[in-house]
Amino acid sequence: MSAEYKNTILVKHVMRKVSPVCESDTLRDVALYMIKEAAPVIAVVENEIVRGVIYIQDLIDPFIPDYFNYLSDFQFVKTFGYLDAEVFSGYFKGLFLAHDIMREQFDYVEPEDSILKAMFYMHRKNITGIVVIEDGKYKGIVSRFDLIGRLYGTDTD
Amino acid sequence: MKDGIELLLYFFFSQILILLGFLTPTEAWNFVDFNTLGLLLGMMIMVSFFKRTGLFEFLAIKSVKVARGNIFILFLLFFILTGVVSSLLDNVTTVLLITPVSILVADMIGVSPYPFLVGEILSSNIGGTATLIGDPPNIMIGSATGLSFIDFLLNLGPAVIIISIVVILYFKFVVGKRFSLKGSFDPAIVSLEPQKAIKDWGLLKITLSVFTLVLLGFFTHDLLNIPPSIVALFGASLLLILTEVHPEDYLKEVEWTTLFFFAGLFILVGALENAGIMEMVSEHILNITSNFKLLVFIILLTSAVISGIIDNIPFVAATIPVIFSIMNKMHYPNSEVLWWALALGSCLGGNATLIGASANVVVAGISEKTRTPVTFRNYLKHGIPVTIISIVISALYLYLRYLM
């Protein structure tokens, strides 16, 4: 398989306009919106300023108990007994809003950047998408699927 | 584990002392105890191999199976496992590997992990007291005095076993009433497969074989006239050769900050020694009392109290030359007891508060976001009584065995 791409492809050629969410939006609303838009990342905007971003992974992470990070593997476990149910019931007690889980430090690209830059961030940071910002204003997102679509020629453009 | 600021402070002040002429650069170099550093380095490398095998997860899950639904037996097995592993490896690694499994198991069966966590903190510090390699104070005492692995085991081991039994009874009758140590096992526990915790059977076989050899070396180092550091470094080198893994993969897991912290500390204490401070301190102590029995109890109690509040490593490093000075002045028969008092006090004192030892802080960190976190305040309720019990038992043990 060979990828056919032109080095003139810019972020603005592949980005999608996905409306941002607000800090006060509930996680349920954020999750449903991300599913609807098939957006792996979404910007959290307040007064036209990007306050943070939320990745799909960020919606999963809070369900995982913190101490799991100290266990190197779970091959020895099939089901988690009481924990299976308790993790889910405990989760929404402490976290309700987009503000609670958004990442305040994040990478972004600009519309005039080469898509190679977006690809680099996704590769280096192991992220599935990136937000596009210009002059401090949110413009949209680029996902791995958007890039692959363009790189492998399945894009409708 | 030492943080960067502590390391920088020791290094900064040791350099200042050299600049001020308290000691020459050559003297500073000579004050660094490479036996201690070598032993720590060798053990750190071996620990990094153990981490990769999954052995401790295996043992922890096996304990769950052996407990057969009895929560107190499970607590007991975790307590013993932590103690035994801590006596052979460093306490922080031990709790890092065992604590998450115990929280997971407690969560799976729907009981509070709190008694398990507190038990593991206490057991790691108690277990570490038993051997030359169990805790940094013992490594430093062993290196400075030439006392062997067997000496530590024979002189501190019995005290540690007695203390462990009493602490287990304390948990059974005091803590067990306040916290749920009862419960029934969930089918999830039955379905746990310990053998799947082992990540690399080949590596495990090699690591266990080499570690057995190293233990044999520790048991015989006195007879063979080989310092423990050489035994540990030999084991580490052998593992690096036999596993054919790039040494960089293992060396990056070495806590270099801890090693440099020790080097800086040795220089600092050396400078104080050179300046005659340690002589002055020993004279002051002897002015208070030259009664040997009283001196033993003062060292035991002082080291326990100080170790409960601050890091016991600098305290022990500074106390070693003071004890040497006292021994030189008084020529007590059976003066070896002073070292056992220092080891018992400084290791067991770490149980008093949550900041008394690095392992305590690590467990508290892991438990932070669980339903029952170990906090400074709630830990004190058990840390203080257990430390008092441990020190009283130690005092009785020292008196009955050596001073009567």
Side-chain angles (χ1 to χ4, degrees):
Chain A
M1 287 213 301
S2 63
E4 209 179 298
Y5 62 87
K6 300 166 190 166
N7 55 13
T8 52
I9 302 176
L10 302 176
V11 167
K12 68 181 178 187
H13 298 135
V14 292
M15 63 178 258
R16 274 191 290 147
K17 287 196 174 176
V18 176
S19 300
V21 295
C22 304
E23 285 185 274
S24 55
D25 282 340
T26 65
L27 292 187
R28 187 170 184 277
D29 287 343
V30 173
L32 293 177
Y33 182 62
M34 288 174 86
I35 293 166
K36 185 181 153 225
E37 294 290 335
V41 59
I42 199 123
V44 183
V45 173
E46 215 63 54
N47 299 325
E48 294 192 14
I49 295 168
V50 183
R51 301 283 186 191
V53 298
I54 296 173
Y55 280 89
I56 286 285
Q57 188 59 37
D58 301 330
L59 292 163
I60 295 170
D61 283 349
F63 286 92
I64 300 168
D66 242 38
Y67 66 85
F68 272 31
N69 294 319
Y70 295 95
L71 288 156
S72 55
D73 205 352
F74 280 101
Q75 278 300 315
F76 54 85
V77 182
K78 280 198 190 300
T79 56
F80 290 90
Y82 281 78
L83 191 60
D84 276 328
E86 278 196 2
V87 162
F88 295 97
S89 64
Y91 166 58
F92 282 108
K93 284 178 191 165
L95 297 165
F96 288 104
L97 308 175
H99 173 81
D100 295 323
I101 61 161
M102 71 180 194
R103 301 181 190 186
E104 289 178 46
Q105 303 289 323
F106 56 89
D107 296 307
Y108 66 91
V109 288
E110 296 185 9
E112 296 298 326
D113 286 338
S114 157
I115 61 160
L116 198 54
K117 191 169 169 182
M119 288 161 64
F120 165 77
Y121 278 125
M122 288 186 206
H123 170 72
R124 172 68 66 88
K125 304 284 174 76
N126 196 23
I127 49 177
T128 46
I130 192 161
V131 288
V132 184
I133 295 173
E134 188 175 37
D135 299 329
K137 300 265 172 68
Y138 170 71
K139 294 290 173 189
I141 66 160
V142 178
S143 73
R144 281 188 180 175
F145 279 114
D146 299 327
L147 285 173
I148 292 166
R150 188 74 188 206
L151 288 169
Y152 290 88
T154 55
D155 198 357
T156 49
D157 267 4
Chain B
M1 250 175 273
K2 296 290 160 200
D3 61 42
I5 292 175
E6 209 173 351
L7 164 73
L8 282 174
L9 277 175
Y10 281 112
F11 251 82
F12 177 72
F13 283 114
S14 56
Q15 300 312 308
I16 291 282
L17 289 167
I18 294 171
L19 286 172
L20 292 175
F22 281 92
L23 74 175
T24 64
T26 314
E27 282 174 323
W29 183 257
N30 289 335
F31 273 120
V32 176
D33 181 354
F34 287 99
N35 192 37
T36 295
L37 296 189
L39 184 51
L40 286 167
L41 176 64
M43 293 309 290
M44 282 173 189
I45 294 172
M46 277 189 279
V47 162
S48 73
F49 277 87
F50 271 119
K51 276 185 188 168
R52 288 173 181 234
T53 61
L55 176 67
F56 300 114
E57 283 99 334
F58 169 83
L59 291 173
I61 298 157
K62 201 77 184 166
S63 304
V64 177
K65 293 279 189 183
V66 171
R68 289 174 182 269
N70 186 320
I71 305 296
F72 182 72
I73 298 286
L74 180 60
F75 165 82
L76 189 67
L77 291 171
F78 273 130
F79 187 92
I80 294 169
L81 178 65
T82 308
V84 171
V85 176
S86 291
S87 69
L88 301 173
L89 305 177
D90 76 283
N91 299 354
V92 169
T93 304
T94 305
V95 296
L96 262 175
L97 293 168
I98 295 174
T99 301
V101 181
S102 61
I103 302 176
L104 175 68
V105 171
D107 276 353
M108 284 169 116
I109 56 182
V111 299
S112 166
Y114 185 84
F116 291 90
L117 301 178
V118 176
E120 281 153 22
I121 289 178
L122 298 169
S123 182
S124 70
N125 292 317
I126 295 169
T129 313
T131 67
L132 168 73
I133 53 170
D135 226 352
N138 289 7
I139 294 177
M140 287 190 291
I141 294 168
S143 181
T145 59
L147 290 163
S148 70
F149 188 86
I150 298 263
D151 289 330
F152 273 85
L153 198 61
L154 293 180
N155 288 284
L156 298 178
V160 165
I161 291 170
I162 297 165
I163 292 165
S164 298
I165 292 168
V166 175
V167 173
I168 288 167
L169 292 174
Y170 168 86
F171 267 83
K172 171 85 178 161
F173 296 108
V174 182
V175 183
K177 283 178 186 168
R178 268 182 270 173
F179 301 99
S180 171
L181 279 176
K182 294 173 187 166
S184 59
F185 269 11
D186 192 273
I189 296 293
V190 181
S191 70
L192 282 173
E193 296 175 280
Q195 67 280 6
K196 285 194 176 172
I198 301 294
K199 293 182 204 88
D200 186 337
W201 285 98
L203 183 67
L204 177 64
K205 281 176 193 163
I206 294 173
T207 308
L208 278 178
S209 306
V210 172
F211 193 66
T212 307
L213 208 61
V214 168
L215 280 182
L216 273 174
F218 282 140
F219 276 105
T220 53
H221 78 92
D222 203 22
L223 293 172
L224 302 170
N225 205 19
I226 302 168
S229 58
I230 300 300
V231 176
L233 288 170
F234 169 75
S237 320
L238 197 59
L239 274 175
L240 290 169
I241 292 166
L242 292 176
T243 52
E244 293 175 10
V245 178
H246 202 283
E248 270 184 16
D249 284 345
Y250 291 95
L251 291 175
K252 73 183 174 197
E253 290 189 45
V254 170
E255 294 163 28
W256 297 105
T257 49
T258 300
L259 297 179
F260 281 98
F261 157 83
F262 270 94
L265 178 64
F266 287 134
I267 296 171
L268 203 60
V269 173
L272 295 174
E273 218 176 318
N274 255 12
I277 307 286
M278 300 316 188
E279 283 286 317
M280 278 166 55
V281 173
S282 69
E283 274 166 23
H284 274 291
I285 292 171
L286 290 172
N287 281 340
I288 297 167
T289 182
S290 56
N291 180 310
F292 183 64
K293 287 176 188 174
L294 198 56
L295 210 55
V296 170
F297 295 129
I298 286 174
I299 289 174
L300 176 70
L301 193 64
T302 313
S303 51
V305 171
I306 292 178
S307 300
I309 304 163
I310 60 162
D311 190 350
N312 58 12
I313 295 169
F315 170 76
V316 171
T319 308
I320 287 170
V322 173
I323 291 181
F324 270 127
S325 171
I326 290 172
M327 287 165 83
N328 287 338
K329 286 190 179 86
M330 302 307 289
H331 302 288
Y332 294 116
N334 206 13
S335 57
E336 203 179 276
V337 192
L338 294 171
W339 300 120
W340 307 136
L342 178 63
L344 286 166
S346 57
C347 295
L348 297 172
N351 269 336
T353 69
L354 206 53
I355 53 165
S358 305
N360 312 8
V361 180
V362 167
V363 174
I366 296 172
S367 79
E368 219 165 44
K369 288 181 181 168
T370 62
R371 285 165 298 165
T372 50
V374 179
T375 64
F376 187 85
R377 189 182 258 189
N378 67 27
Y379 177 78
L380 279 181
K381 289 176 196 163
H382 309 295
I384 295 284
V386 165
T387 306
I388 292 171
I389 291 169
S390 309
I391 297 303
V392 169
I393 293 172
S394 301
L396 282 171
Y397 172 80
L398 292 174
Y399 180 76
L400 293 173
R401 181 161 177 185
Y402 307 101
L403 305 173
M404 210 162 81

